[in-house]
Amino acid sequence: MKLWGITHRGAVRQQNQDAYAVRELEDGRGLAVVCDGMGGARAGNVASSMAVELFMRKLEEQGQPGDDPQKWLKTAAAHANDGVFQKAVEDPDCTGMGTTLVAALAGNGKAVLLNEGDSRAYHITRDGITRITRDHSLVEDMVQRGELTREQARNHPHKNLITRALGAEPVLLADCFDQNVAPGDYLLLCSDGLSNVVTDQEILYEVIHGGEDEACCQRLLDVALHRGAPDNVTVVLMRC
């Protein structure tokens, strides 16, 4: 498993409220997590950084994933949710903060993914790109009801309004997904700072045809920056 990641504050924001982590486990599987914080001037950064740290620490405490990787990820995400929620309750500067979270554990022909919010995970092969996760957002709900097309959703004024976030409620309601992966397949995790300005087909092109894998995250960031990058941008690429 090969892992790469990059994060940037973008061209407009003064602070980067995204956070991410990648790790290769002892058994060769790859682990990645991306968080996109929300809240006040300081709180979004606190939420995303806390979530990543607590999530990764809890995974370490649990040891190897074993036979139930969904439970392994959910337990860590619930722990992170508890910590962020308590911080938001106890610290007046952090009132109302929260964060998205998308995570993937991949290897041995299988990937397990968890998400809360609108940070995304994609499965990419030479045959195409498939979004694995479903956004927990107002515009995604409108698309599902047939009130908006995908293209209309990309430009909707409320596209950044999410309906679920880690740390916003005392109980986490994260979604989990199982995905088969073959040698040479890719998983890409990103915050909406990328997906709002770079299309799925453009992501596919850069991953498969754009050049060396090691530079792919930078290439995607450069595309976002070239288009004004109004939000923080985080990209993680995993190659099976």
Side-chain angles (χ1 to χ4, degrees), residues 11 16 24 37-38 41 47 63 117 160 180 207 210 219 222 233 236:
N16 190 353
E24 185 173 356
M38 63 180 193
N160 293 323
N180 292 327
V207 172
R219 291 196 303 271
D222 289 344
V233 182
V236 167

Side-chain angles (χ1 to χ4, degrees), residues 23-133:
R23 183 170 302 160
E24 185 173 356
L25 303 185
E26 293 178 4
D27 62 8
R29 282 185 282 187
L31 174 68
V33 58
V34 169
C35 290
D36 177 0
M38 63 180 193
R42 170 173 166 267
N45 178 55
V46 172
S48 61
S49 299
M50 275 190 69
V52 168
E53 180 181 353
L54 292 171
F55 181 78
M56 297 297 284
R57 187 189 307 164
K58 189 63 176 179
L59 293 179
E60 287 184 2
E61 291 176 2
Q62 294 183 91
Q64 294 301 300
D67 297 330
D68 194 349
Q70 279 201 14
K71 181 179 179 182
W72 190 69
L73 291 176
K74 284 182 176 178
T75 298
H79 176 69
N81 187 79
D82 290 345
V84 174
F85 181 78
Q86 286 302 315
K87 179 71 171 177
V89 170
E90 295 168 1
D91 187 341
D93 291 336
C94 295
T95 300
M97 76 175 181
T99 182
T100 70
L101 185 146
V102 60
L105 170 70
N108 303 325
K110 298 284 186 182
V112 179
L113 302 103
L114 178 146
N115 90 295
E116 179 83 350
D118 64 354
S119 292
R120 294 180 176 179
Y122 294 90
H123 178 221
I124 300 170
T125 72
R126 291 194 171 273
D127 294 327
I129 181 170
T130 303
R131 175 150 54 106
I132 302 169
T133 54

Side-chain angles (χ1 to χ4, degrees), residues 158-172:
H158 300 313
K159 65 185 178 184
N160 293 323
L161 294 180
I162 60 175
T163 55
R164 280 159 51 177
L166 185 146
E169 300 289 342
V171 177
L172 185 68

Side-chain angles (χ1 to χ4, degrees), residues 120 122 131 133-135 137 139-156 159 195-196 200:
R120 294 180 176 179
Y122 294 90
R131 175 150 54 106
T133 54
R134 180 187 182 277
D135 295 350
S137 68
V139 295
E140 180 71 18
D141 291 345
M142 294 172 73
V143 169
Q144 294 296 319
R145 293 194 298 265
E147 297 171 10
L148 291 176
T149 66
R150 285 285 174 205
E151 189 56 37
Q152 288 171 331
R154 286 182 59 82
N155 301 302
H156 196 277
K159 65 185 178 184
S195 57
N196 279 344
D200 291 3

